[in-house]
Amino acid sequence: MFLGLDVGSTASKCVIVDEDGHIIAKGMYPSGAGTAGPQTCVDEALAACGGGASLADIRFSCATGYGRKLSDWTNIQISELSCHARGAVELFDGVRTVIDIGGQDAKVLSIGKDGTLENFAMNDKCAAGTGRFLDVMASVFGCDVSELSAYDERSTQIASISSTCTVFAESEVISKLASGEDICNIAAGVHQSVVDRTYGLAQRVGVKLAVAMTGGVALNTSLRRRLEERIGLPVATSELAQYNGAYGAALLALERCEV
Ligand code: ADP
């Protein structure tokens, strides 16, 4: 078995594949680098393999993500750009553009016809346009981030959020709620703000079909639909979207196995 571990800023993800690259098990824990999250998601994935599987059953392993260097028990550590590209090529037929929005960064990867990473653009300096922005707004709404999509589905207009800075945008959302503006329209505005930032990032590398969205924010269906409208192209996703980096890491562990 081959193990991929993605130690993100917000969540830790683990995928275990067999020697044909098929997924045997996965695990996730909602905390990332510097916490018990990485170990917990590895334990969860091993338990899901059944038969009392342990790390001794893993032939080669690869860590990726923000906190990969702290996971030095893995055989290799590879940048998240390479792992995300590798995972996406497997998950999405003919993918040429990968839009990954995670907890603290957003990136757009341009993939060549041969499946290699050609170019990328990244925002890892500012919370605007990332999952963090959505997490902050969900806490203002008093809901879980997974519920934002349903609010947007019931929107009739897009409330304009003029501040790009997360802190100022949070104050803007608080005052819109206080002035009685419809929470569903505000959710639409929050999503549109992330979409506009993502579109700007995508323009820097150019968007080619097929386009896929990965990272935890890909689970937000309304946001993904707004992104499709903005780009003017279909944006595919997968139930494995949040595991894409860990999946790519597991496949690279299999391909680079030295034992
Ligand atoms: P990282 O790799 O940086 O830790 P992830 O790709 O795991 O980030 O994405 C985490 C983000 O995904 C969270 O900050 C949150 O905004 C978003 N997210 C997680 N679960 C959901 C969900 N069920 N619905 C919508 N958004 C989600």
Side-chain angles (χ1 to χ4, degrees):
M1 298 195 293
F2 302 86
L3 181 147
L5 171 64
D6 180 4
V7 185
S9 60
T10 309
S12 305
K13 284 81 63 178
C14 177
V15 169
I16 296 174
V17 299
D18 65 17
E19 56 193 15
D20 296 319
H22 297 135
I23 296 177
I24 302 173
K26 52 192 172 48
M28 170 150 29
Y29 196 77
S31 67
T35 72
Q39 188 58 51
T40 313
C41 79
V42 168
D43 291 345
E44 188 183 313
L46 286 169
C49 290
S54 73
L55 277 181
D57 300 304
I58 301 297
R59 202 151 137 223
F60 211 68
S61 56
C62 172
T64 189
Y66 180 73
R68 66 183 177 277
K69 299 216 166 82
L70 291 173
S71 297
D72 50 6
W73 57 268
T74 53
N75 296 101
I76 48 174
Q77 291 96 38
I78 297 182
S79 88
E80 61 231 77
L81 291 172
S82 304
C83 292
H84 275 91
R86 183 67 192 88
V89 164
E90 213 61 38
L91 282 183
F92 306 101
D93 270 350
V95 70
R96 302 291 306 279
T97 309
V98 182
I99 298 170
D100 180 272
I101 312 184
Q104 244 171 56
D105 68 17
K107 41 194 176 285
V108 179
L109 278 55
S110 181
I111 310 285
K113 280 188 182 144
D114 59 356
T116 57
L117 179 67
E118 270 183 347
N119 194 8
F120 73 94
M122 188 160 181
N123 163 29
D124 58 357
K125 301 275 181 284
C126 169
T130 73
R132 179 78 191 131
F133 184 86
L134 297 164
D135 297 342
V136 167
M137 299 314 166
S139 83
V140 173
F141 285 6
C143 72
D144 189 80
V145 71
S146 60
E147 297 171 79
L148 287 180
S149 183
Y151 277 119
D152 186 352
E153 268 168 32
R154 298 196 300 273
S155 65
T156 51
Q157 285 173 42
I158 304 175
S160 149
I161 312 284
S162 55
S163 316
T164 44
C165 166
T166 306
V167 177
F168 291 143
E170 182 184 14
S171 310
E172 207 178 328
V173 166
I174 290 169
S175 56
K176 279 184 190 297
L177 285 170
S179 66
E181 204 158 333
D182 182 355
I183 191 167
C184 300
N185 294 346
I186 302 174
V190 163
H191 288 162
Q192 195 60 44
S193 164
V194 173
V195 163
D196 290 344
R197 300 279 296 194
T198 309
Y199 183 70
L201 212 55
Q203 291 292 91
R204 280 166 44 193
V205 292
V207 179
K208 290 185 222 119
L209 272 173
V211 186
M213 185 174 179
T214 60
V217 175
L219 299 169
N220 185 326
T221 312
S222 298
L223 191 147
R224 185 171 55 81
R225 287 212 186 103
R226 292 196 179 280
L227 190 59
E228 288 185 319
E229 277 165 26
R230 187 77 168 91
I231 295 177
L233 293 172
V235 176
T237 192
S238 155
E239 59 183 18
L240 292 171
Q242 199 172 2
Y243 290 93
N244 182 50
Y247 181 39
L251 293 173
L252 289 174
L254 164 64
E255 288 155 9
R256 300 193 189 177
C257 177
E258 288 158 8
V259 287

